[in-house]
Amino acid sequence: FKAQEIRDRGGIYYGQNVISKNLIIADRKQLLNGNGFVLGVSGSGKSFTAKREITALALSTQDDILIIDPESEYRPLVEGLGGEVVEISATSSNHINAMDMEQGYGEGENPVVLKSEFLLSLCEQSVGAGKLSAKEKSIIDRSVGNIYREYLKNYQGEPPTLKNLYDDLMKQVNPEAHRIALALELFTVGSLNVFSHQTNINTKSRILCFDIQDLGENLKSVGLLVMLDAIYNRVIQNRREGKYTHVYIDEIYLFFANGSGSGHSITNYSSEFLYKCWKRFRKYGATLTGITQNVEECLLSNTARMMFANSEFLLMLNQATTDREQLARLLGASDTQMSYVDNAPAGHGLIKVGGAIVPFANELPKNTELYRLMST
């Protein structure tokens, strides 16, 4: 293939072009849609590659960087860069209110509609995929309207919490309302009530990592959703202040997991909520990066396929054979191009920026402080 170059003025370094040996300098803000993915099998250098981008952004911009970290991999780097790591677990004293709502939530639509969708995702976690009836969805919608009525008048005072939602459901006479309340009980008045208190963390730090490793399997999927919603609120706030935001979600496949057999999967409503954020972040001056090794699991979801196909930024490291074939079809990449992600050493692969797809090599000398902070 002809030697393409990726050299954006004011961009950051992503490695060396394997064909021309020139530097690859890209600026995702210049893309029509700067959202993207970092993909690769375990050990291919996915998190490491994401950390290199985070470091370059931290050192060369004043932008906010927010990370959802399900495997507790980013702490050394985030703290090394002067950022803050917030541990969220069933026993920690850190709380994030799942019902927080910034003014501007829902982008001009009725904000309660988007919050209802978010809560449908949350309820779906508790009762199981596809098990919410039309009647139950209406009840959730009505309840959310009830508890936000006062707060939405001027966004003053404290927003409602999941506990208020639980109480409102319990007040209703329908057995369906009680069934939903029962499903939410664990997360509201039960032992996993970490998301049903008012937010008490000071999240002013420019580089912020939410470490949710200790949430445990039951709560991790719910945690991912609540974190995404909290970040959505922060993105809206940053937009008002004229700040750009970079969001990283590791193990993003959990949003698309199909619910068969694994105890921690998130399903339809969750991937829909992610997709809405994916579309909105772009308009709000933010980019979202998903990091995953479970490409095949993601591609079972139509929502994920749409997100892959519409991403103008992709970093592909060493890929499993089945993933490689699917990605080639999805991106219209040639066999020659895809050969660069076949048994590629760590830090080598293909980078797609806009219409250009270029093979890259990006290795970091191991005798450096940065390598020590980034290596897991």
Side-chain angles (χ1 to χ4, degrees), residues 169-206:
L169 288 165
M170 286 306 279
K171 268 189 242 155
Q172 296 183 34
V173 289
N174 326 49
E176 287 88 355
H178 294 177
R179 180 175 111 97
I180 302 162
L182 198 62
L184 283 173
E185 196 167 59
L186 181 66
F187 305 121
T188 49
V189 291
S191 56
L192 301 181
N193 64 358
V194 60
F195 301 122
S196 65
H197 304 270
Q198 293 296 346
T199 301
N200 66 353
I201 55 173
N202 171 20
T203 54
K204 292 285 173 277
S205 183
R206 179 171 85 86

Side-chain angles (χ1 to χ4, degrees), residues 282-350:
R282 185 175 51 128
K283 300 174 196 164
Y284 287 179
T287 55
L288 208 159
T289 306
I291 304 156
T292 186
Q293 64 185 30
N294 295 51
V295 178
E296 200 170 7
E297 192 160 359
C298 285
L299 292 177
L300 292 173
S301 151
N302 286 331
T303 311
R305 293 185 80 87
M306 239 165 9
M307 285 166 66
F308 275 100
N310 295 326
S311 294
E312 291 202 292
F313 179 83
L314 277 180
L315 261 169
M316 290 174 281
L317 299 141
N318 187 17
Q319 299 293 322
T321 314
T322 46
D323 295 345
R324 195 170 63 241
E325 288 161 5
Q326 292 221 42
L327 284 169
R329 270 201 300 278
L330 207 58
L331 305 172
S334 68
D335 290 347
T336 316
Q337 287 172 319
M338 294 311 285
S339 69
Y340 286 95
V341 293
D342 200 0
N343 295 320
H348 291 237
L350 273 180

Side-chain angles (χ1 to χ4, degrees), residues 43-64:
S44 61
K46 279 185 316 304
S47 301
F48 199 94
T49 301
K51 287 173 192 168
R52 291 202 66 163
E53 186 180 60
I54 288 166
T55 305
L57 290 168
L59 298 177
S60 66
T61 70
Q62 285 306 306
D63 301 345
D64 277 11

Side-chain angles (χ1 to χ4, degrees), residues 248-263:
Y248 292 84
I249 304 178
D250 214 331
E251 308 290 350
I252 199 168
Y253 79 93
L254 286 169
F255 277 93
F256 306 111
N258 58 19
S260 56
S262 61

Side-chain angles (χ1 to χ4, degrees), residues 62 73 79 116 138 195 271:
Q62 285 306 306
E73 285 188 81
E79 289 178 344
S116 284
S138 302
F195 301 122
S271 59

